[in-house]
Amino acid sequence: ALAKSIDNIYMKAILGDGSDNIPKSLDKVGDKIAAKIVSDYSLLLEKFRTQKDAFHRFAINKCLVDFSHIPDIYLEEFSKLEI
């Protein structure tokens, strides 16, 4: 289950999310290519080497979509909300 979760985070970091205003981190990559990249990290490393700022954009996107990067203070405040 953890590997699938990481794959989902990487897919969203690569493809971005228009509804959350997160841009793509890799140029000319759609769903099919992103799935290949996630299944073979050497392809991801190659994209980082060949596309300017790809690693930087990917790292930012990963932080935006990975809930484990939410600071504890915000998690504590969120847990107090009545939803």
Side-chain angles (χ1 to χ4, degrees):
L2 180 60
K4 182 123 176 104
S5 174
I6 291 170
D7 288 353
N8 289 338
I9 291 168
Y10 276 41
M11 285 289 289
K12 200 162 202 173
I14 291 168
L15 295 172
D17 186 339
S19 66
D20 289 331
N21 202 26
I22 299 172
K24 283 184 168 188
S25 61
L26 302 176
D27 299 329
K28 300 179 184 177
V29 172
D31 292 343
K32 289 180 184 178
I33 303 268
K36 286 180 184 179
I37 290 170
V38 168
S39 68
D40 181 355
Y41 290 137
S42 67
L43 296 173
L44 182 59
L45 294 175
E46 181 62 24
K47 293 291 185 186
F48 291 160
R49 282 192 288 275
T50 60
Q51 291 187 17
K52 183 175 172 39
D53 297 325
F55 177 77
H56 179 73
R57 292 189 312 252
F58 178 85
I60 290 171
N61 284 3
K62 186 175 177 299
C63 287
L64 291 171
V65 301
D66 186 350
F67 289 167
S68 68
H69 293 285
I70 298 173
D72 290 339
I73 189 166
Y74 295 120
L75 291 174
E76 291 169 16
E77 289 300 315
F78 183 74
S79 68
K80 295 176 188 175
L81 297 175
E82 293 181 24
I83 300 175

